Amino acid sequence: MIRPYEAADWDGVGRVCVQTGDSGDDATGIYANDDLLPAIYAYPYVVFEPDLAWVVVADSAEDDANDGDVVGYILGTSNVTAFVEWWAGDWAPKFEELLPVDDGWTGADLEVRSRGEHPENQLNEIVRKYPGEFHIDLLPEAQGHGLGRTLIAIFAAALRDRGVQRLSIGVGAANQDALAFYRHLGFEELGREVAESGEVLAYRMGAQVTDLV
């Protein structure tokens, strides 16, 4: 079942973010703090624009053991620029509170953490042309039922009602299934994140809101 996000879903959203955080696979225990990925890719969005977040909850008819658990979500923002400005002033203190650094943090941990320390790096010409942005994650038990397409249509309709015409999403290059899914929906490649070695790390995919509703 899909329903609007509620404050009580906070932990469930964080759990799904972590369990899909390794290019779709479980990232639990990969980083020094399991709140690292949600503090960047999930929590700030449901604080900034909670009315642009929906969750998928397990249906007791299909899964008695997990009845009511959050097994997926879509969340995002209608304006990346405004979101970044809010993050710098309002989310930054909460980010620090969630992620205290100690000697157990590795260089890899700190590198990921730096993304949350510098939200301004999200700003570029692409997000100015495609101001809407979303993140969508589904646990394996919620996949293969058409929920991804439905969630994106719900999110796109909400953006359309706000007068937003374009939206985008970042997709890790290793997540080929997700890239194929977005291309099938009509998303086009807008840009790439490339390492110094020339390896493509991620793609920015974008679409017209009206094409997704």
Side-chain angles (χ1 to χ4, degrees):
M1 178 182 69
I2 297 172
R3 62 164 172 75
Y5 169 83
E6 301 172 356
D9 298 322
W10 178 276
D11 290 341
V13 165
R15 177 176 53 82
V16 172
C17 183
V18 174
Q19 292 183 353
T20 57
D22 185 16
S23 296
D25 293 329
D26 193 349
T28 302
I30 288 181
Y31 301 107
N33 188 326
D34 278 340
D35 272 331
L36 179 57
L37 295 180
I40 297 172
Y41 300 112
Y43 297 151
Y45 293 92
V46 299
V47 175
F48 183 63
E49 287 181 285
D51 54 339
L52 282 180
W54 291 263
V55 296
V56 179
V57 295
D59 186 340
S60 59
E62 299 178 1
D63 189 350
D64 290 333
N66 297 315
D67 181 22
D69 284 355
V70 175
V71 294
Y73 60 73
I74 190 167
L75 43 84
T77 178
S78 59
N79 188 316
V80 175
T81 300
F83 174 66
V84 167
E85 292 174 354
W86 166 84
W87 183 316
D90 292 75
W91 183 247
K94 181 65 174 178
F95 182 82
E96 294 296 329
E97 177 186 335
L98 285 169
L99 301 171
V101 176
D102 57 34
D103 293 341
W105 285 67
T106 67
D109 296 329
L110 294 173
E111 181 179 353
V112 174
R113 193 181 192 278
S114 70
R115 300 174 192 173
E117 296 168 342
H118 299 284
E120 69 278 2
N121 290 342
Q122 299 179 51
L123 299 178
N124 52 50
E125 192 59 29
I126 290 176
V127 300
R128 292 185 178 92
K129 292 180 179 179
Y130 290 75
E133 180 182 71
F134 70 97
H135 295 274
I136 181 172
D137 289 302
L138 296 167
L139 294 181
E141 58 264 37
Q143 298 173 14
H145 305 292
L147 291 168
R149 181 189 292 270
T150 300
L151 286 168
I152 291 172
I154 291 171
F155 187 86
L159 290 192
R160 178 197 59 192
D161 292 345
R162 295 178 181 220
V164 179
Q165 299 179 4
R166 301 181 184 90
L167 79 170
S168 71
I169 184 171
V171 186
N175 199 341
Q176 289 297 312
D177 288 344
L179 286 167
F181 170 70
Y182 293 121
R183 290 179 178 128
H184 179 71
L185 290 184
F187 281 76
E188 298 179 345
E189 181 184 328
L190 305 175
R192 301 182 179 188
E193 180 184 347
V194 182
E196 292 183 3
S197 63
E199 176 188 6
V200 178
L201 302 176
Y203 297 88
R204 174 62 57 171
M205 308 295 289
Q208 299 286 328
V209 164
T210 53
D211 292 340
L212 302 172
V213 177

